[in-house]
Amino acid sequence: MERLPRFEAEQHLARRLKTPHAIETYEKLSLGIQIKRLRKKLKLSQSDLAKKLKTSQSAVARMENGGQNFTLRILIHLGIILGRKLHVKFQ
């Protein structure tokens, strides 16, 4: 079952993401989707990643599904574990 948008911004995205290209672009930018792709590329389970982050598997699942707020500490650790640089910027 597909999750229904909960917030106004999610409702707006659901209306705007009609084409495959728009969906693909959004997925590239979505932090949770990036984490999931990198985790799978490294052949890590959610439980494996959770152990490395010293958190629970359910917290990793929430991260990947957009239901988790990230602290800077978690983002830094994710970058180290996943072998990526962290870039944070305002545009």
Side-chain angles (χ1 to χ4, degrees):
M1 183 175 178
E2 191 173 313
R3 183 175 71 85
L4 296 175
R6 295 176 292 187
F7 303 105
E8 186 177 334
E10 289 179 319
Q11 292 169 355
H12 176 74
L13 277 173
R15 288 191 301 271
R16 299 292 299 200
L17 297 177
K18 301 284 185 192
T19 67
H21 176 69
I23 293 168
E24 181 181 342
T25 300
Y26 174 73
E27 287 180 347
K28 285 180 183 175
L29 297 173
S30 172
L31 185 57
I33 292 170
Q34 289 181 51
I35 292 168
K36 187 174 187 175
R37 285 182 180 162
L38 290 168
R39 175 182 61 77
K40 286 184 173 187
K41 186 176 181 180
L42 294 173
K43 297 182 177 15
L44 294 172
S45 68
Q46 287 182 341
S47 295
D48 294 335
L49 182 55
K51 287 175 189 169
K52 291 176 182 286
L53 288 172
K54 298 181 181 165
T55 190
S56 66
Q57 177 273 326
S58 60
V60 172
R62 286 192 305 273
M63 288 177 198
E64 293 181 352
N65 292 314
Q68 177 81 19
N69 291 323
F70 294 92
T71 63
L72 189 54
R73 182 187 76 76
I74 289 289
L75 290 172
I76 291 168
H77 283 114
L78 278 167
I80 293 167
I81 292 164
L82 299 173
R84 297 289 191 229
K85 292 181 182 177
L86 175 64
H87 297 270
V88 179
K89 62 181 177 178
F90 295 102
Q91 291 184 342

